[in-house]
Amino acid sequence: ITYDPKNEVLYSFMRDITQQNRAKNALRKSESNLRTIINTTTYGILILDQEGKIRFVNEAAMIFFGRSEAELLGSDFGVPVCDQDGKMEIEIFNQKQDARIINILVSKIDWQEKPATFVSLHDITEQKRTEESLRYQAYHDLLTGLPNRRAVMERIEQVLDCQHIYPNYYFALLFIDLDRFKIVNDSLGQLVGDQLLIEVAKRLKKQVTQFDYVARLSGDEFVILLENISSIEEAKTIAHDIRMDFHEPLEVAGQHIVSTVSIGIAFSSHNYKTSLEVLRDADNAMYRAKSRGKDRYEVFDQTMHTQALRSLTLERELRKALEEKQFEIYYQPIICLKTYKLMGAEALIRWHHPQEGLISPGEFIPLAEEIGIIVPLGAWVLDRVCQDLESWQPLLEKFEDFAISVNLSGRQLQMSDLCETIDQIIDQRGTNPRHLKFEITETLLIDNLEYTTMVMEHFRSRDICISIDDFGTGYSSLSYLHRLPIHTLKIDQSFVAEMQDYSENTRYPIIEAIVTLANALDILVIAEGIETLIQMQILQRLGCEFGQGYLFSRPIPERDFRAFLTGHKVLPSLPQIQG
Ligand code: C2E
Ligand code: MG
Ligand code: MG
């Protein structure tokens, strides 16, 4: 409004400023909101001028850098070089010298009417650490700190890719298994077991170069991937060195523990397509090393593959065979070498395979053990034997100390309900336990001495005798013999097979020692695998009282064995012992 000197309104100009004020207020309010957001967000915010100098910082950014606004404003940040999306990750050190990983987002803006750079900073250190720790856990065995199965499988895949590009690139996978881990774990406890595994990991790492990949698969199974080697010989040398190295005791929890290793080697010459194939073959070769006596290495070859395939088929068929009752018990007579009287027999299982005919237990028992079928199968054998004993009952009266030996496998011995199962079968069939004997191989006995002793005590309490089978092959200390309720030792066939010379000056010191020891301890001795007259005569001279072998009879079906019991069939007449 304009007034003239007389204070009269000259002209008036009116404008409604309510709208303008409202807009100003709104702007002020939104600016203040923005400022609140900028200062409360955990994202650090910087605005940089064209030279990369800081022109604005929010509180979060000050906390990031551990510096005040005054210190930061005007300081040089540099213009970030980002990817197309305006993103990048950097590592910065704050004032406390903590490394932080920062995710940066950059965009171009105008700031105070000049081009500028808007930078938002997001601290992802914790997130990264969590991710890293998850990744570490996914690829490592936490006990030993070695890479795990998944890691080594991925590594093998990479090595296979490498081999496809460079045909002269060779590698080998060593599959290493401790021979006595279970015993250590069972007898000294899991803590010591874990400690042992850690020591093993260290020892293996020491044996190889930094380029070789040592990993733990599970339990006591380790692998070493030897990359870019010159030939299989190199892998063999390393396997040999590792094996020898494990003859030296490991110090664990103040104790010296020796555990040998069995090693299987898969070499790259087999045109592997997948890491699984490589691992499978190394594993197979390791099994071969175990079955050939442990503390050794074996290189995978094609015959093992064929055998592995056969095992797979057999496994399927074995499961079916149990359901369809394709098994039969054969009996092999056991003879008194002084009187040639029948003392009993060993029950030996036979499998009537619908296509392949008779399959020998040597071929399917190890597999049955591995897949656990031996447990129901073993129970079936005992039940069958008890039924046969029942049907022979009237015929047995004229025999003194007649007993049928039943083989027990390692897997059966491990079952916590073994004694119960056996008691149940015997009670159900009303079998006289005196007519039963169980055979346990020497190696089984010494591998689990404490536990087997317990089982054996149970047998003794039930009047069932125990035979130690394949005696002499286990290299065991004889000291345990007098502590255990052992009734009979069966001298392994391999010793008998060597007996070919009857002349006085040929000595058989091992058999002599076994017989003398057994006599002193009141333990009976049966020689297995007697095939010739000369073998029998040598054994008679050495004072071995009982024998079993083709010379007297092969294992025969029940009806044939019954004929011996009824007297319809007689054992071959053999020359009387001289002198
Ligand atoms: P083993 O217990 O040492 O049985 C003796 C093996 O020697 C039998 O082989 C028998 O047929 C064979 N044999 C007997 N006399 C002679 C001979 O004069 N010369 C030769 N060369 N061999 C002879 P078989 O029946 O093939 O059984 C092999 C192994 O299978 C047995 O060895 C035993 O460890 C296992 N086995 C057999 N039946 C069973 C069973 O029911 N349960 C379990 N767990 N294992 C069994
Ligand atoms: Mg036997
Ligand atoms: Mg034997």
Side-chain angles (χ1 to χ4, degrees):
I1 302 171
T2 312
Y3 299 95
D4 70 358
K6 291 176 196 161
N7 252 353
E8 301 230 327
V9 174
L10 202 57
Y11 61 89
S12 79
F13 175 78
M14 287 184 61
R15 194 161 49 124
D16 184 353
I17 57 163
T18 332
Q19 283 296 349
Q20 204 179 343
N21 281 344
R22 271 202 198 131
K24 255 190 201 160
N25 279 341
L27 190 64
R28 212 172 288 136
K29 205 166 169 194
S30 86
E31 242 176 48
S32 135
N33 278 345
L34 210 58
R35 197 164 288 279
T36 314
I37 292 169
I38 285 176
N39 278 329
T40 49
T41 177
T42 52
Y43 281 59
I45 290 173
L46 303 174
I47 292 175
L48 313 172
D49 63 18
Q50 278 169 294
E51 278 92 52
K53 291 210 163 56
I54 298 175
R55 291 296 162 210
F56 173 87
V57 282
N58 73 344
E59 306 230 344
M62 293 179 227
I63 296 170
F64 266 155
F65 297 110
R67 290 190 163 84
S68 69
E69 186 176 26
E71 283 172 302
L72 287 170
L73 285 181
S75 66
D76 199 4
F77 187 84
V79 183
V81 185
C82 294
D83 63 8
Q84 273 181 335
D85 302 340
K87 283 185 195 151
M88 77 171 187
E89 240 167 53
I90 56 165
E91 200 176 75
I92 62 165
F93 289 89
N94 63 17
Q95 237 182 359
K96 291 185 218 141
Q97 290 303 310
D98 277 345
R100 310 296 298 175
I101 300 163
I102 308 292
N103 193 346
I104 295 187
L105 254 172
V106 173
S107 43
K108 296 287 170 202
I109 56 164
D110 279 337
W111 174 257
Q112 294 169 343
E113 287 158 24
K114 282 191 194 130
T117 310
F118 175 90
V119 180
S120 103
L121 310 163
H122 183 203
D123 187 337
I124 52 166
T125 316
E126 294 315 318
Q127 183 191 332
K128 280 274 160 181
R129 282 189 189 148
T130 316
E131 272 173 25
E132 236 164 64
S133 130
L134 285 178
R135 195 194 322 260
Y136 183 87
Q137 286 174 35
Y139 284 92
H140 285 81
D141 160 46
L142 298 184
L143 178 68
T144 60
L146 291 180
N148 61 11
R149 179 191 188 93
R150 179 170 171 185
V152 75
M153 294 309 266
E154 285 186 15
R155 184 75 176 207
I156 298 172
E157 293 292 342
Q158 289 168 9
V159 166
L160 285 173
D161 288 344
C162 204
Q163 200 193 18
H164 291 145
I165 304 170
Y166 309 103
N168 288 333
Y169 180 95
Y170 298 123
F171 68 88
L173 186 71
L174 270 51
F175 195 116
I176 302 159
D177 190 286
L178 296 185
D179 291 332
R180 299 226 145 170
F181 179 66
K182 204 182 158 297
I183 304 170
V184 173
N185 219 35
D186 290 352
S187 55
L188 300 177
Q190 200 190 333
L191 270 179
V192 178
D194 282 355
Q195 216 49 47
L196 177 69
L197 292 174
I198 294 172
E199 291 307 315
V200 168
K202 282 192 206 153
R203 185 167 281 192
L204 289 176
K205 276 208 85 97
K206 257 206 301 197
Q207 272 292 337
V208 297
T209 70
Q210 67 191 66
F211 304 109
D212 301 317
Y213 202 81
V214 183
R216 177 173 170 229
L217 290 184
S218 65
D220 59 345
E221 293 175 342
F222 294 83
V223 291
I224 299 180
L225 181 62
L226 302 172
E227 298 176 28
N228 202 8
I229 53 174
S230 55
S231 68
I232 180 68
E233 293 310 318
E234 199 177 327
K236 282 184 184 172
T237 308
I238 293 174
H240 172 82
D241 291 348
I242 292 175
R243 185 176 85 75
M244 295 316 285
D245 203 22
F246 275 88
H247 286 183
E248 292 297 317
L250 288 152
E251 205 183 318
V252 177
Q255 312 197 41
H256 291 274
I257 297 175
V258 179
S259 177
T260 54
V261 290
S262 298
I263 306 176
I265 307 175
F267 186 58
S268 51
S269 58
H270 289 278
N271 278 326
Y272 290 115
K273 301 247 168 358
T274 66
S275 52
L276 263 179
E277 292 171 356
V278 182
L279 187 71
R280 178 201 62 199
D281 286 358
D283 190 10
N284 266 324
M286 189 278 290
Y287 259 95
R288 171 70 62 98
K290 287 255 184 223
S291 63
R292 289 195 173 165
K294 303 177 179 173
D295 186 19
R296 56 187 291 137
Y297 70 81
E298 292 288 337
V299 180
F300 178 82
D301 62 40
Q302 211 48 45
T303 59
M304 287 186 205
H305 184 59
T306 324
Q307 265 175 17
L309 277 184
R310 177 161 164 79
S311 285
L312 269 183
T313 326
L314 270 186
E315 179 178 336
R316 213 175 38 232
E317 292 171 344
L318 202 50
R319 292 183 195 281
K320 211 167 123 211
L322 191 63
E323 281 166 29
E324 298 185 357
K325 307 262 181 302
Q326 296 170 3
F327 298 104
E328 185 183 356
I329 304 288
Y330 274 34
Y331 292 96
Q332 185 176 35
I334 294 172
I335 308 293
C336 172
L337 295 184
K338 283 187 186 143
T339 61
Y340 297 130
K341 276 197 181 132
L342 185 67
M343 301 305 296
E346 177 172 8
L348 295 160
I349 193 165
R350 296 291 179 262
W351 178 9
H352 295 283
H353 190 282
Q355 283 88 40
E356 294 188 33
L358 212 61
I359 300 187
S360 88
E363 204 169 336
F364 69 84
I365 292 282
L367 183 65
E369 286 233 4
E370 205 183 309
I371 60 177
I373 274 205
I374 191 69
V375 175
L377 190 60
W380 179 84
V381 171
L382 179 63
D383 189 55
R384 189 67 252 169
V385 168
C386 287
Q387 286 182 52
D388 288 344
L389 274 169
E390 195 187 340
S391 78
W392 301 333
Q393 196 51 52
L395 304 169
L396 296 184
E397 275 156 19
K398 58 176 185 284
F399 293 95
E400 242 175 89
D401 298 331
F402 182 93
I404 297 293
S405 300
V406 174
N407 290 285
L408 276 187
S409 84
R411 191 72 179 253
Q412 282 173 283
L413 272 174
Q414 279 168 12
M415 302 304 290
S416 53
D417 59 354
L418 173 74
C419 297
E420 241 177 288
T421 313
I422 289 175
D423 286 350
Q424 212 180 350
I425 295 173
I426 293 178
D427 294 344
Q428 203 179 351
R429 296 286 172 201
T431 312
N432 181 352
R434 284 175 185 279
H435 290 321
L436 271 183
K437 241 186 213 185
F438 284 116
E439 293 191 5
I440 300 174
T441 61
E442 185 187 14
T443 11
L444 265 181
L445 178 77
I446 43 182
D447 272 0
N448 307 285
L449 195 53
E450 215 168 293
Y451 178 67
T452 16
T453 311
M454 216 175 68
V455 177
M456 286 163 80
E457 288 296 348
H458 175 82
F459 289 148
R460 181 167 50 190
S461 74
R462 291 228 46 181
D463 261 351
I464 304 172
C465 296
I466 296 287
S467 275
I468 304 303
D469 207 352
D470 306 342
F471 191 77
T473 56
Y475 309 104
S476 59
S477 123
L478 299 178
S479 60
Y480 60 75
L481 280 181
H482 75 281
R483 286 191 275 127
L484 298 174
I486 294 170
H487 183 267
T488 309
L489 293 182
K490 295 188 83 174
I491 296 174
D492 190 64
Q493 317 193 347
S494 55
F495 296 104
V496 177
E498 281 169 15
M499 297 179 169
Q500 294 182 8
D501 186 356
Y502 185 76
S503 61
E504 284 286 340
N505 42 12
T506 313
R507 305 287 307 270
Y508 298 96
I510 296 179
I511 304 301
E512 275 172 49
I514 294 178
V515 172
T516 313
L517 181 79
N519 282 342
L521 296 174
D522 224 3
I523 293 175
L524 303 184
V525 182
I526 302 178
E528 281 190 287
I530 307 176
E531 292 184 357
T532 66
L533 255 167
I534 286 189
Q535 287 168 346
M536 182 191 75
Q537 285 165 336
I538 295 169
L539 286 159
Q540 285 171 332
R541 196 181 69 206
L542 298 177
C544 178
E545 218 175 331
F546 302 96
Q548 169 185 354
Y550 296 168
L551 177 68
F552 312 106
S553 164
R554 290 188 171 250
I556 44 177
E558 189 273 332
R559 58 173 186 284
D560 294 341
F561 184 67
R562 173 187 283 268
F564 279 129
L565 296 178
T566 54
H568 284 98
K569 221 169 117 180
V570 287
L571 290 159
S573 63
L574 295 160
Q576 285 305 307
I577 312 163
Q578 300 123 21

